[in-house]
Amino acid sequence: MKKKSKYILFGIVILGVAIAGFGTYAMLSNKQPTDTKITIGSQGTDTVVWKHIADSKVAKQKHLNIEVKDFTDSNSLNKALANDEIQVNAFQSYAFYTTYNKNNPDKKVYALGTTYIQPMGIYSGKYKSISSIPKNSTVAIANDAAAESRGLKLLESAGLVTLNKHQVDELVAPSDVKENPKQLKIKTVESTSTPSLLHDDGIAAVAIDNNTAQISKLDVFKDAIFHEKLDQNTKSNVNVIVTNKQHINDENYKKILHLYHDKKIQKWIKANYSGKVEINKSISELEK
C-alpha cells in the first residue's frame, strides 16, 4: 500500500507541474502585443484630425499609442523631427518637404507616404471678385518658401500676375514676377496671420492655405473669391507623412500611413473637413 501511495503522490505532483506549465503557456500565448508609442507633431486642423485618429479604435487595433503635439511654427516641426523630439509629423506639402531637405542636408527627414491635397484660396474682406481688386492694391501671401511659391502661382492662375517660365515643381519668389498689370504690392507674412489680414484696411486680398483657413472657419469653396483647382496630379501640393532616419524602416511607423487611409478614419475626415481630399500615392510616384 505504501508503494502504491508513493505512485499516487508522484502522479499528483507531475499533474500539478503539468497544469502549472500549461497555465504559464496560456498566459504567455494570450499576452497582447505591446503598444508602440509614437509622438506625432502637427498643427491647425491636422492636429484635430490626428487627435481623433489617436483616440480611434482602429489605432488601438493596430497597437499604436499615439501622442499628438501641436506646433504653431511650421519651420520648427521638421527640426523637432530631425532631433527625434517627435517621431512623425503630418502637416507639410511635398514642396515644403523637398525644400526643407534641400536646405538642411545634414538633418534630412523622410516621407512615408501621402495623405491629402486641399486648395489654397484667395480671400478678400472688401472685394467679391478677382476683377474687382483695384490697381496699386496690396495682396498678402505666406512667407515660407513653399507657401510663398504656391501663393504666387495662385496669383498667376487668377490672372493677377505673370511669372517667369519655370518648371511645374520649381519654387518661385516675388522676384520671378514678370508682369504685374495692376501694379500690385505683394506682401509676405506669417501663414498663421493671414486670416486676420482680411480685416486690415491696407490689404485688398490674401492667399490663405486651407488648413489655416479652416481654423478661422473659412470655407474655400464658399468664401474664397478664387481657389486652386483640385488636381490630384499636382504633386507639389500633396501633403505627406514624414519620419526621421531612426524610424524610416520601422514597420510600426508604416502602420501610421495605413491608419490615416482607413475607411472609417476617412469617413470622419470627409464629414468634418471636406476640403481635405484624400491622396493615397507612394512617394516614388511623386518623385517621378
Side-chain angles (χ1 to χ4, degrees), residues 41-57:
S42 195
Q43 60 181 187
T45 56
D46 283 339
T47 297
V48 180
V49 169
W50 281 100
K51 284 185 176 179
H52 170 78
I53 293 173
D55 293 335
S56 69
K57 289 182 179 179

Side-chain angles (χ1 to χ4, degrees), residues 102-282:
K102 183 178 179 180
N103 294 331
N104 298 274
D106 297 330
K107 289 198 170 184
K108 282 187 175 183
V109 292
Y110 300 84
L112 292 167
T114 62
T115 51
Y116 65 83
I117 187 170
Q118 57 185 355
M120 175 181 277
I122 297 176
Y123 299 79
S124 177
K126 303 178 182 66
Y127 306 105
K128 300 296 182 182
S129 67
I130 290 293
S131 60
S132 300
I133 296 174
K135 288 186 176 181
N136 301 309
S137 297
T138 299
V139 177
I141 60 176
N143 62 4
D144 70 76
E148 180 181 76
S149 179
R150 188 175 180 180
L152 288 167
K153 290 177 183 179
L154 180 60
L155 296 182
E156 182 178 48
S157 297
L160 292 174
V161 301
T162 301
L163 302 171
N164 290 321
K165 287 186 177 180
H166 57 273
Q167 298 296 320
V168 174
D169 301 317
E170 185 180 351
L171 295 182
V172 295
S175 58
D176 290 303
V177 175
K178 182 180 179 181
E179 296 177 10
N180 186 354
K182 290 192 174 186
Q183 298 301 305
L184 299 174
K185 300 176 185 68
I186 299 172
K187 181 178 182 178
T188 57
V189 298
E190 286 188 12
S191 60
T192 53
S193 71
T194 49
S196 65
L197 296 178
L198 293 175
H199 308 292
D200 188 321
D201 291 336
I203 304 295
V206 190
I208 308 176
D209 69 88
N210 204 14
N211 194 28
T212 303
Q214 287 173 335
I215 294 171
S216 297
K217 307 300 181 184
L218 293 171
D219 186 321
V220 68
F221 300 116
K222 296 177 181 178
D223 302 320
I225 59 175
F226 186 85
H227 65 74
E228 293 171 331
K229 291 182 179 179
L230 279 177
D231 183 356
Q232 294 201 23
N233 295 314
T234 308
K235 65 182 183 181
S236 60
N237 297 335
V238 173
N239 273 46
V240 290
I241 296 177
V242 179
T243 189
N244 52 30
K245 191 174 183 179
Q246 294 94 311
H247 304 292
I248 186 61
N249 294 315
D250 191 324
E251 290 300 320
N252 285 310
Y253 285 73
K254 294 175 183 178
K255 287 181 184 178
I256 291 287
L257 184 62
H258 299 309
L259 182 59
Y260 182 86
H261 292 292
D262 180 87
K263 289 181 180 179
K264 291 181 181 178
I265 297 297
Q266 281 302 309
K267 184 178 180 180
W268 184 90
I269 293 173
K270 288 171 185 175
N272 291 276
Y273 299 101
S274 58
K276 297 181 189 291
V277 179
E278 182 185 14
I279 300 291
N280 193 358
K281 291 186 176 182
S282 67

Side-chain angles (χ1 to χ4, degrees), residues 9-114:
L9 181 60
F10 180 73
I12 291 171
V13 171
I14 294 297
L15 181 61
V17 171
I19 290 171
F22 179 77
T24 302
Y25 171 79
M27 288 176 66
L28 290 172
S29 62
N30 290 328
K31 187 178 180 182
Q32 295 297 318
T34 303
D35 288 356
T36 300
K37 185 175 181 180
I38 299 174
T39 303
I40 295 179
S42 195
Q43 60 181 187
T45 56
D46 283 339
T47 297
V48 180
V49 169
W50 281 100
K51 284 185 176 179
H52 170 78
I53 293 173
D55 293 335
S56 69
K57 289 182 179 179
V58 187
K60 291 175 176 61
Q61 288 167 357
K62 291 183 180 293
H63 302 289
L64 294 174
N65 177 9
I66 300 171
E67 179 184 352
V68 183
K69 286 189 176 181
D70 186 59
F71 286 68
T72 55
D73 176 19
S74 299
N75 294 315
S76 65
L77 268 155
N78 279 336
K79 292 176 182 177
L81 181 60
N83 294 331
D84 207 36
E85 295 166 22
I86 56 177
Q87 289 77 54
V88 172
N89 70 37
F91 79 100
Q92 63 194 308
S93 67
Y94 182 69
F96 189 104
Y97 161 75
T98 53
T99 301
Y100 169 83
N101 277 347
K102 183 178 179 180
N103 294 331
N104 298 274
D106 297 330
K107 289 198 170 184
K108 282 187 175 183
V109 292
Y110 300 84
L112 292 167
T114 62

